[in-house]
Every structure is written in structure tokens, then in C-alpha cells.
Amino acid sequence: MAAQPRRTVVISGATSGMGRATALARLDRGDTVIAIGSSAARGRSLVEQAAAGDRLCFVHADLSSVAENERVVAEIGRDNPVVDALVLFANRPSPRRVETAEGLEHTFALYYLSRYLLARGLTPALDAAADPVVVSVAGVGTTAGSIHWDDLQLTRRYGTVRAQLQAGRANDLLGVAFAEQHAGRARFVLYHPGFTRSGDLSPLNPLARAVIRSLARVAARPVAEAIEPIHGFLDHPPREALTAVDRGTLVDPSLPTLNRKDALRLARVTEDLLRTLRAG
Ligand SMILES: NC(=O)c1ccc[n+]([C@@H]2O[C@H](COP(=O)([O-])OP(=O)(O)OC[C@H]3O[C@@H](n4cnc5c(N)ncnc54)[C@H](OP(=O)(O)O)[C@@H]3O)[C@@H](O)[C@H]2O)c1
């Protein structure tokens, strides 16, 4: 079998769980990895464990901040004119409604808006690659939850699951709009890994933590198994502009959660929101 060409892979949420395992596995395969996370200690531990020299660059950033995403995009673009793949994992459930310094609901900002900013912002570097791909690891195929168009920032009825489901759906629609608007040459893959033995449960209350831990022991997949398909997406990007995979199964693109009109509407609303933030 011919050796895979070495790639430059940007990974958001690369300091723990599936993102960390993907970073280490890509380094083992000879790739260069730019790993983003908000914990300096976890970043240091990744760098020490990988011992990959200048093939691993840790970028310390709070991706719940629009300004930080823009700084990261500028830094990565300056140092890496070519990016072959962008893999998006960063997320952290928030039991209470938290507002970022920019006035956005934290889950919306971190789990959705960061992915929007990184995918769109890194498009010039991705477009310079031979076979670029964006992989967004979230919950495609899940039909529960919805976009709360009249209250995207969940000021009225906040709930951890409600916020996670809204941002997860927004990520599905981000993929649809990226492909539909030909936002770049990169193919977009929405990937749902299924219940996996990873995830920082520390923000959750002790009861929720204990329940999820016991369930995970019997029902969750090992991290290595959950990330295996990601290597396939990176090594052989699909031909289609958008591919959605829920565990091993292709998701029907006509599913209402991948609605084209909703996707274009969310892209418009997101651009308006960013314009307002940048102006103020
Ligand atoms: N685990 C599951 O069962 C499961 C199932 C379906 C979908 N997913 C999705 O898969 C993705 C990865 O899940 P996981 O279980 O591997 O999660 P995880 O172990 O909790 O990892 C989350 C990553 O996000 C980073 N992160 C959190 N807040 C950040 C911030 N403000 N700025 C920058 N980075 C931040 C963390 O790094 P720092 O600590 O350094 O900030 C960490 O590297 C998530 O999007 C999740 O929703 C997971």
C-alpha cells in the first residue's frame, strides 16, 4: 500500500478525550498537528506525552471567545499557509447559563460559533491543500432538540441538554451551509461518534457524573474505536461536499435536521451576530 502523504492537521479540543487521542494518532502517522485547548496544563501534558518535537504545536486559547478564535485563525494562517484538515471537537457542557465576556451563551459560543469561525477562517489555508477536509465531531443524526430562533442565547429557558442539543443542531446546519455555499474547497464531514468513554464530566453535579460514569462502563465505546473513522475521513476525504455519518451509518441528507433553508438562515443570523459583535 502506498504511504499516506504527511498532512498538517488542526484539532480544536485536542488536549483530552477524542481530540487528544486523534492528535496522538495523527502524530504517530507522521502528520504535523496544531492542537488547540484552553488548559495550559493539559496542553503541556500532551506535548510531553507526544514527544513529537516541532511536528506538534499547542495553541492555548479559550475558544468560547470570538476574539480568541480570530487570533487563533490569524496565527495558524500566518505560520501554516497550507492546512490539510481541520478536526473540531471542543465542547464543554455547562450546568448553568454562563455568558462569555462578549455576551454570548457559553455553549453556543464554544460548541457552535467557534466551529463556524475556525472552518470559515481557515478556508484560505484549507483551499491551498491538495485534498482538504473539515470534520466536525458532534451529534449528527440526533433529532431531539432544535434551534431556538427567537432566543438563540437561551436567555429564557436555559438547560444543559437544551443548550447542547441546540448547538449540536447548529453544527449540523453549519456543515450543510458550508457545503451549500461552497464556502471553500474542503469537503465537510459531520461525524457522530456515539456514546464514548471520554468527556470531561467535572462541570456536572456529582449525581449526573456518577450516572454517566456507570452507564459509560457498560454502554460507551472505547475512544480508539470512536475515532477510527476519523482517520478514514482524513486519509481519504469523501468526494461529496457534505457527508454525515452517525456511528457507522450514513445519515440521510433529507433528514429535517439537515434542512437547507434552516442552514442558510443560521448562516445569515450568525454573520449578523458577528457583524454586531465586531462593530460594538
Ligand atoms: N463522549 C461522548 O460520548 C460523545 C458523544 C457524542 C458526541 N461527542 C462530542 O465529541 C466531542 C469530543 O468529546 P470528548 O468526549 O472527547 O470531550 P472531552 O474529553 O471533554 O474534550 C473536550 C475538549 O474540548 C476542549 N475545550 C473545552 N472548553 C474549551 C475552551 N473554552 N476552549 C478551547 N478548548 C476547550 C478541552 O480542552 P481544555 O480542557 O484544554 O480546554 C478538551 O480538549 C464533543 O464535541 C462532544 O460533544 C461526544
Side-chain angles (χ1 to χ4, degrees), residues 14 49 66 86 121 130 143 208 254 259:
Q49 184 184 353
V66 172
L86 168 65
T143 51
S254 69
N259 181 275

Side-chain angles (χ1 to χ4, degrees), residues 33-158:
V33 170
I34 298 153
I36 315 169
S38 71
S39 158
R42 288 193 186 115
R44 265 195 310 278
S45 123
L46 173 68
V47 169
E48 279 164 22
Q49 184 184 353
D54 63 4
R55 285 194 303 111
L56 171 62
C57 169
F58 172 61
V59 178
H60 183 207
D62 176 359
L63 294 177
S64 69
S65 151
V66 172
E68 280 282 89
N69 278 280
E70 289 175 339
R71 172 181 68 83
V72 164
V73 163
E75 273 180 30
I76 294 176
R78 186 193 60 215
D79 299 339
N80 303 272
V82 178
V83 169
D84 297 277
L86 168 65
V87 195
L88 300 158
F89 293 95
N91 185 13
R92 179 158 290 140
S94 185
R96 285 169 301 100
R97 185 179 182 279
V98 172
E99 252 183 36
T100 65
E102 291 153 334
L104 300 174
E105 187 279 311
H106 188 266
T107 304
F108 178 90
L110 173 64
Y111 190 17
Y112 164 63
L113 194 56
S114 164
R115 296 184 186 210
Y116 184 96
L117 290 162
L118 293 176
R120 302 252 173 172
L122 290 173
T123 286
L126 286 160
D127 281 351
D131 206 9
V133 64
V134 177
V135 181
S136 178
V137 181
V140 73
T142 304
T143 51
S146 56
I147 302 285
H148 304 282
W149 295 106
D150 60 341
D151 186 22
L152 277 180
Q153 303 306 317
L154 301 181
T155 56
R156 290 193 287 278
R157 277 180 54 218
Y158 181 83

Side-chain angles (χ1 to χ4, degrees), residues 259-275:
N259 181 275
R260 176 181 168 275
K261 273 195 186 144
D262 288 345
L264 297 180
R265 179 179 179 189
L266 184 64
R268 275 195 309 276
V269 170
T270 304
E271 276 308 311
D272 288 347
L273 178 68
L274 289 170
R275 244 191 311 278

Side-chain angles (χ1 to χ4, degrees), residues 25 27 41 56 61 100 115 122-123 148 157 170 175 190 195 202 211-212 225 228 233 264 279:
L27 289 164
L56 171 62
T100 65
R115 296 184 186 210
L122 290 173
T123 286
H148 304 282
R157 277 180 54 218
L190 296 165
F195 187 25
S202 63
V211 170
I212 294 174
E225 185 183 312
E228 190 52 37
F233 303 140
L264 297 180

